[in-house]
Amino acid sequence: MNEWWEAFWFFLPAGFANMSPILAARLPLLRHWGTPIDFGVKYKGERLLGANKTWRGLLFGVLVGVLVALFQYRFIASSAESVGFIVLVGAALGFGALVGDAVESYFKRRSQVPAGESWFPFDQTDYIVGGVLFASLFVSLGLADILRITLIYFGLHLMMSYVGYLTGVKKRPI
């Protein structure tokens, strides 16, 4: 059971980073800063990523990943790692989660799936793949760790999506 908790705990900055762009879009100070990451560039008549992938969301998500990692380090974790390393891994998890989401969005557009439509299971796993890949630049994750992270955060993503639907934050349950 301890290994499952550790997998959940390790990937928590990426999980929060993945949810944070929706929050950033609703914050009054950030609401109007919605420059798309792709700057409106099109490829074969289609936007590369779409209007929903913004610099606001990316930067806010990385910041959230770092803040969650620092919270874990400062208040709960007893780690021998340096604060700089914790910031680096938190940023890698947050950045990776959002890059994974952006890459998935690119392929989603190429597959003619409309923005806002579910593309199961890619919408639920993109941030996991990205977060694991970028974090792996700084930490060693075994296959069992990656499988635990995937199972935990895939399930959490489905649950949180449904809660978002019930509360009116999302238009669809998945």
Side-chain angles (χ1 to χ4, degrees):
M1 190 63 172
N2 190 31
E3 294 160 338
W4 288 90
W5 170 253
E6 289 173 8
F8 166 78
W9 189 249
F10 170 77
F11 206 70
L12 197 60
F16 272 97
N18 186 56
M19 295 186 298
S20 67
I22 294 170
L23 174 63
R26 299 182 193 288
L27 292 174
L29 289 173
L30 300 177
R31 190 176 318 155
H32 302 293
W33 188 45
T35 304
I37 293 172
D38 66 11
F39 295 107
V41 172
K42 294 182 177 184
Y43 174 71
K44 294 186 178 181
E46 295 284 329
R47 289 281 300 274
L48 290 178
L49 303 176
N52 293 331
K53 304 301 176 214
T54 65
W55 288 103
R56 169 191 58 219
L58 178 64
L59 296 175
F60 190 73
V62 172
L63 175 64
V64 166
V66 168
L67 292 176
V68 170
L70 285 172
F71 175 82
Q72 291 173 303
Y73 177 77
R74 173 67 177 97
F75 293 105
I76 299 170
S78 57
S79 175
E81 303 296 342
S82 71
V83 173
F85 182 75
I86 297 301
V87 167
L88 185 65
V89 173
L93 285 164
F95 184 73
L98 295 169
V99 166
D101 184 56
V103 169
E104 179 266 343
S105 184
Y106 172 82
F107 288 106
K108 188 175 182 178
R109 295 291 138 321
R110 303 292 77 72
S111 299
Q112 304 299 311
V113 178
E117 290 289 320
S118 180
W119 198 32
F120 189 84
F122 306 108
D123 282 331
Q124 293 74 28
T125 55
D126 54 8
Y127 77 104
I128 300 168
V129 172
V132 165
L133 284 174
F134 277 81
S136 294
L137 297 171
F138 306 102
V139 296
S140 178
L141 295 171
L143 182 58
D145 299 320
I146 294 168
L147 288 174
R148 279 189 283 275
I149 289 168
T150 302
L151 290 172
I152 291 167
Y153 281 91
F154 181 80
L156 282 173
H157 191 282
L158 292 176
M159 277 186 356
M160 294 306 293
S161 290
Y162 192 69
V163 168
Y165 170 72
L166 292 176
T167 59
V169 174
K170 294 187 71 169
K171 293 178 182 174
R172 291 178 181 79
I174 293 182

